[in-house]
Amino acid sequence: MRQSMLDDYWGDDEEDDDTQKDKYLTFRLDQEDYGLEIRHVKEIISIQKITDVPDLPDFVKGVINLRGQVIPILDLRLRFKLPPKEYDERTCIIITHMNEIPVGVIVDTVNEVLDIPAERIAPPPTVQKGAAHRFIQGLGRVGDDVKIILNAEKLLHEDELEALESAY
């Protein structure tokens, strides 16, 4: 199960930041690999029924009921203005906290948890097109590959967070 890859990084004491330091959950969107700091990731679940909520941005697909908690769900493909893709058995929802609000993000597939030390992370490029650059925390070098490290707290603007809070 996908959740099991996270179990190694959380014990009963979630305050132990040393076990989560330099750890990133990596996932794929379109042809690129991304990463989120593991400390922001609470759970990984398979795609499930999403209830549409009117009057939210297009990239917010709606809400789910996860063990009695209503959680807003956003599609990162749509957020980054990538072409939409039909959900399949590899599509996942990563449950994260964005500025203290639980939010699920839909990704094409989850890869693995990687250790990327700070010295292997370069700052984001200074020449950027589009709005997506504001989401990038850095570029992690892993072997010959580059993982785009996202800033979970900047995936939503303050006004979008307020809209999500009012939706549930």
Side-chain angles (χ1 to χ4, degrees):
M1 182 174 189
R2 292 179 179 114
Q3 181 63 33
S4 64
M5 74 173 71
L6 298 176
D7 292 340
D8 294 337
Y9 301 98
W10 295 314
D12 291 331
D13 183 9
E14 289 189 40
E15 294 180 31
D16 187 5
D17 290 335
D18 287 342
T19 61
Q20 297 177 9
K21 184 175 176 10
D22 299 333
K23 304 280 190 238
Y24 295 86
L25 176 68
T26 61
F27 57 90
R28 182 159 284 250
L29 287 176
D30 204 26
Q31 301 300 313
E32 300 299 332
D33 288 325
Y34 294 82
L36 278 174
E37 286 182 82
I38 198 76
R39 67 185 177 96
H40 293 294
V41 178
K42 299 305 173 197
E43 187 171 357
I44 303 166
I45 60 174
S46 57
I47 196 73
Q48 55 187 268
K49 181 185 180 314
I50 300 171
T51 303
D52 188 35
V53 177
D55 241 5
L56 291 175
D58 290 344
F59 62 87
V60 179
K61 301 304 286 181
V63 296
I64 62 169
N65 179 350
L66 185 63
R67 293 182 296 281
Q69 185 176 19
V70 177
I71 298 178
I73 303 295
L74 64 93
D75 188 318
L76 275 188
R77 275 182 157 272
L78 300 179
R79 181 60 168 152
F80 295 165
K81 301 193 182 333
L82 296 170
K85 178 184 175 214
E86 213 168 301
Y87 303 147
D88 59 29
E89 70 279 351
R90 296 192 51 98
T91 305
C92 297
I93 299 174
I94 300 171
I95 306 298
T96 184
H97 279 87
M98 296 181 189
N99 299 315
E100 305 300 318
I101 298 171
V103 176
V105 292
I106 299 172
V107 300
D108 293 353
T109 187
V110 168
N111 295 337
E112 60 188 325
V113 175
L114 290 176
D115 188 9
I116 308 174
E119 61 271 9
R120 305 280 308 162
I121 298 176
T126 55
V127 179
Q128 301 146 336
K129 288 185 176 181
H133 72 276
R134 72 176 169 269
F135 311 131
I136 299 174
Q137 181 174 314
L139 302 173
R141 296 180 310 260
V142 179
D144 293 335
D145 296 328
V146 174
K147 310 294 183 195
I148 301 169
I149 308 297
L150 299 177
N151 185 330
E153 294 168 351
K154 291 188 177 178
L155 287 175
L156 293 171
H157 296 295
E158 199 168 310
D159 58 331
E160 294 166 337
L161 281 169
E162 288 172 12
L164 287 180
E165 283 181 305
S166 66
Y168 68 101

